[in-house]
Amino acid sequence: MKNFKEVLMKNVFLIAALASIIAVALICIFLFANGIPAMSKIGVFQFLLGKDWSPGNEPAAYGIFPMILGSIYVTIGALIIGAPIGVLTAVFMAKFCPKKIHKILKPAVGLLAGIPSVVYGFFGLVVIVPFVRNVFGGNGSSILTASILLGIMILPTIIEVSESAIRAVPDSYYEGALSLGASRERSIFFATLPAAKSGIIASIVLGIGRAIGETMAVIMVAGNQARMPAGLLKGIRTLTANIVIEMGYAADLHRGALIATAVVLFAFILIINFIFSMLTRRKI
């Protein structure tokens, strides 16, 4: 009877694991089976490097280079804003934060991670867009606005992973630096943080994945203009926004081009996950 239960549970675990693998495999098959033919019909270089996206014109144009640049620009902007704030917050929570404040701050960061994207979008639309419009000019829906909003959205990922990495560093690093005469701050920034750098970099890579894959909030604040980015205060369209905005009415080659856009986005995410796996394999 005991052996039967062990075999049964082993099979249950196996089926659960296979379900995840099958789901990923089906998504890959769907994307590549529908996206690659469309990409081939348009022309790979014309699709990836074309600067004109006008599926309604005759002849239609399906170049996604403006959307690729839009995704890269807002992701870099989000990292410039979110990574320093996230890492410094993690240092504070791991090394400087009193326990009473940590009990409040930790759940608050977790709550930030659980807020739906559309709520972030409303916040960006009502608060950040007017702020950027009044302070920096333009109409407010821009690369800068999307970068600020995404910078806020990636904070929980960077803070939680970085804090865990910092806490995983043995105290001997910190105490050894103190014993050599270093101040508390120098011990943390020149002994503890370098030892935790692989975990911190992994948190930033995860933040990149969150930023480049975000859709709803970006749609609400980025302006959604399918053209080459013309400045920090100008509107752009990202890869994810391009798919969501047009998939509802797309047909034939237009639909295939949108699925091919998802293939490009999928390739970005695969590269990010590969980098994350390489980093997490390294021991702190």
Side-chain angles (χ1 to χ4, degrees):
M1 188 64 183
K2 184 179 179 181
N3 289 335
F4 173 75
K5 287 184 177 178
E6 288 181 355
V7 172
L8 177 64
M9 291 311 299
K10 185 178 179 181
N11 289 327
V12 170
F13 296 143
L14 178 62
I15 291 170
L18 288 176
S20 304
I21 295 171
I22 291 171
V24 173
L26 289 176
I27 292 171
C28 291
I29 292 170
F30 167 77
L31 286 179
F32 287 98
N34 292 279
I36 297 298
M39 201 183 297
S40 302
K41 192 171 182 178
I42 296 166
V44 175
F45 289 105
Q46 179 61 32
F47 180 70
L48 295 176
L49 302 178
K51 298 178 181 178
D52 185 19
W53 176 270
S54 52
N57 290 354
E58 190 61 43
Y62 298 100
I64 64 167
F65 193 58
M67 278 72 85
I68 292 176
L69 284 184
S71 294
I72 292 173
Y73 285 175
V74 296
T75 302
I76 291 174
L79 286 182
I80 291 173
I81 295 168
I85 297 173
V87 173
L88 291 177
T89 305
V91 170
F92 173 73
M93 291 177 67
K95 294 297 182 182
F96 294 99
C97 187
K99 288 186 178 179
K100 290 183 179 178
I101 298 178
H102 189 272
K103 288 180 180 177
I104 301 172
L105 197 55
K106 185 73 174 177
V109 173
L111 184 63
L112 199 62
I115 295 175
S117 297
V118 68
V119 177
Y120 276 109
F122 275 124
F123 172 75
L125 201 60
V126 175
V127 177
I128 302 178
V129 169
F131 171 77
V132 171
R133 182 171 56 236
N134 295 331
V135 175
F136 299 101
N139 63 9
S141 297
S142 62
I143 295 175
L144 179 61
T145 307
S147 298
I148 294 172
L149 186 60
L150 287 175
I152 296 171
M153 294 180 71
I154 65 174
L155 281 178
T157 303
I158 295 177
I159 292 171
E160 291 184 351
V161 178
S162 294
E163 186 191 2
S164 299
I166 293 169
R167 289 187 183 277
V169 176
D171 290 337
S172 57
Y173 283 72
Y174 175 68
E175 293 166 355
L178 285 179
S179 66
L180 291 173
S183 65
R184 188 181 180 190
E185 290 76 16
R186 288 184 66 85
S187 300
I188 291 171
F189 282 97
F190 292 96
T192 304
L193 283 190
K197 65 180 179 183
S198 61
I200 293 172
I201 294 173
S203 75
I204 295 173
V205 172
L206 280 177
I208 293 173
R210 173 75 196 273
I212 204 167
E214 179 54 42
T215 306
M216 186 56 68
V218 173
I219 288 176
M220 297 173 76
V221 301
N224 305 312
Q225 298 159 0
R227 65 186 184 190
M228 291 294 288
L232 200 58
L233 299 178
K234 299 294 183 182
I236 46 95
R237 180 184 290 186
T238 62
L239 292 169
T240 52
N242 192 48
I243 298 168
V244 172
I245 290 172
E246 299 190 6
M247 185 56 84
Y249 59 86
D252 303 327
L253 185 59
H254 184 194
R255 182 174 180 275
L258 292 177
I259 297 174
T261 305
V263 172
V264 175
L265 184 64
F266 189 71
F268 275 119
I269 299 299
L270 280 181
I271 293 170
I272 291 168
N273 283 343
F274 175 74
I275 295 172
F276 175 73
S277 299
M278 294 296 292
L279 290 171
T280 51
R281 285 177 186 174
R282 295 175 58 184
K283 294 182 179 179
I284 294 175

